[in-house]
Amino acid sequence: ALPLELTAARTMLDMEHRRPPDLEVLSDFDTNQYRFGRIGGHNVVLAILQAGVYGITQAALASSMMRRVFPSIQFALMVGIGGGVPSESHDIRLGDVVVSMPVAGYPGVLQYDFGKLGPDGEVTATGALNRPAPKALAAIAAMQADYMMRDSGLMEITSGALRKHPRIRAKFSHPGKVNDVLYRADYDHVAGNNCRNCSHHMAVFRTPRETTEPNVHYGLIGSGNQVIKNGKFRERLREKHGVLCFETEAAGALVSRKSFYIPSLISSS
């Protein structure tokens, strides 16, 4: 969705390609901007939303355009930055990865702002999004099994990408465990762009990790047009649905009846 996210995705390409000379131009229909490359043995095309125009509707339009221009795409990943929802069962930290996976009653993504609004202010879902492609779900199961036997290797992958692209190192490197602070859900933060003036007495103690290597979590992702900045609302959705993180485009990618999307988000707490 964002230039920041497109940059991160491009660093994962083993090789970048030029625009294919035989790519059909649909100027009256397709407003997407694409980048091309290869990861392993797979050719990859990356798309980004229009600047300043984000959310579920734009993600649905962009995915529809992409599917029409590239009809041979087997499946797609919605990749982006999400807001983590730590809990006792999921110790989500800054830089961890949340992979959407179907859970009881949900296809892997919950559109938390779609449904009936009750007298208590709670939204009751009136429908469900499409399930991801079977091929993607099989890949997730295999990945889970692999990570039980060996390290994920994410630290080596991200470190290699930063060495390859030194210009982005300062912006994309982990800011340090000291800056990964989780505050109580009922705490109203001091207004501003950071928590420099927030009360550290309201921080939740968490046992420090030995390294900053990302952990991978699998489960439900909350998606909607509203950016979640309210800890109490975040906790209500976690307690009611078991949401692991929030973002603002995945539901749009899963709206299409022929959707082939499985969201995967880098989450922060």
Side-chain angles (χ1 to χ4, degrees), residues 103-127:
V103 298
Y106 303 103
V109 174
L110 166 69
Q111 188 175 347
Y112 53 81
D113 57 0
F114 178 77
K116 296 187 297 184
L117 184 65
D120 56 355
E122 293 289 336
V123 176
T124 301
T126 55

Side-chain angles (χ1 to χ4, degrees), residues 6-81:
L6 176 63
T7 300
R10 289 179 66 181
T11 66
M12 293 295 102
L13 296 173
D14 296 325
M15 178 184 294
E16 289 206 47
H17 299 320
R18 294 181 179 179
R19 180 185 177 92
D22 60 343
L23 181 63
E24 183 180 1
V25 178
L26 301 173
S27 57
D28 293 336
F29 173 79
D30 187 10
T31 59
N32 287 342
Q33 286 288 320
Y34 300 110
R35 296 294 182 269
F36 306 90
R38 176 177 57 80
I39 296 178
H42 303 281
N43 286 323
V44 178
V45 56
L46 305 173
I48 185 171
L49 299 185
Q50 301 172 36
V53 186
Y54 311 116
I56 290 175
T57 301
Q58 293 304 315
L61 290 172
S63 62
S64 296
M65 296 175 192
M66 193 176 191
R67 190 166 52 250
R68 179 172 174 179
V69 176
F70 303 100
S72 297
I73 288 179
Q74 296 184 43
F75 69 93
L77 300 171
M78 176 67 205
V79 183
I81 302 170

Side-chain angles (χ1 to χ4, degrees), residues 2-264:
L2 303 173
L4 189 72
E5 297 162 342
L6 176 63
T7 300
R10 289 179 66 181
T11 66
M12 293 295 102
L13 296 173
D14 296 325
M15 178 184 294
E16 289 206 47
H17 299 320
R18 294 181 179 179
R19 180 185 177 92
D22 60 343
L23 181 63
E24 183 180 1
V25 178
L26 301 173
S27 57
D28 293 336
F29 173 79
D30 187 10
T31 59
N32 287 342
Q33 286 288 320
Y34 300 110
R35 296 294 182 269
F36 306 90
R38 176 177 57 80
I39 296 178
H42 303 281
N43 286 323
V44 178
V45 56
L46 305 173
I48 185 171
L49 299 185
Q50 301 172 36
V53 186
Y54 311 116
I56 290 175
T57 301
Q58 293 304 315
L61 290 172
S63 62
S64 296
M65 296 175 192
M66 193 176 191
R67 190 166 52 250
R68 179 172 174 179
V69 176
F70 303 100
S72 297
I73 288 179
Q74 296 184 43
F75 69 93
L77 300 171
M78 176 67 205
V79 183
I81 302 170
V85 187
S87 64
E88 292 185 3
S89 56
H90 290 278
D91 182 27
I92 299 175
R93 305 287 179 100
L94 182 66
D96 280 2
V97 178
V98 176
V99 179
S100 168
M101 187 177 70
V103 298
Y106 303 103
V109 174
L110 166 69
Q111 188 175 347
Y112 53 81
D113 57 0
F114 178 77
K116 296 187 297 184
L117 184 65
D120 56 355
E122 293 289 336
V123 176
T124 301
T126 55
L129 298 167
N130 295 303
R131 289 172 63 89
K135 183 179 292 188
L137 295 179
I140 290 175
M143 183 170 63
Q144 284 183 288
D146 287 345
Y147 288 177
M148 290 181 186
M149 300 177 62
R150 58 178 175 83
D151 292 336
S152 66
L154 292 177
M155 181 71 79
E156 290 77 12
I157 293 172
T158 54
S159 297
L162 292 174
R163 287 194 299 270
K164 186 178 178 181
H165 304 278
R167 187 170 180 175
I168 67 171
R169 187 176 300 156
K171 193 175 189 66
F172 284 80
S173 295
H174 194 287
K177 290 182 285 186
V178 68
N179 292 306
D180 184 12
V181 181
L182 174 66
Y183 289 88
R184 286 176 43 173
D186 58 353
Y187 175 59
D188 293 326
H189 290 250
V190 177
N193 295 325
N194 54 57
C195 288
R196 189 173 300 144
N197 297 318
C198 293
S199 173
H200 290 289
H201 296 292
M202 302 302 290
V204 177
F205 173 78
R206 297 186 291 179
T207 303
R209 287 183 182 174
E210 294 182 0
T211 71
T212 58
E213 181 164 0
N215 286 353
V216 183
H217 310 266
Y218 304 87
L220 186 63
I221 290 176
S223 181
N225 284 312
Q226 295 177 330
V227 177
I228 304 300
K229 294 290 186 179
N230 185 286
K232 296 176 184 177
F233 181 72
R234 179 197 73 192
E235 284 300 290
R236 287 205 303 270
L237 288 180
R238 182 191 66 79
E239 293 173 356
K240 185 175 181 179
H241 304 289
V243 173
L244 300 187
C245 77
F246 293 101
E247 62 78 64
T248 54
E249 277 83 27
L254 284 166
V255 164
S256 171
R257 192 171 186 178
K258 297 181 180 179
S259 175
F260 39 47
Y261 283 78
I262 172 70
S264 173

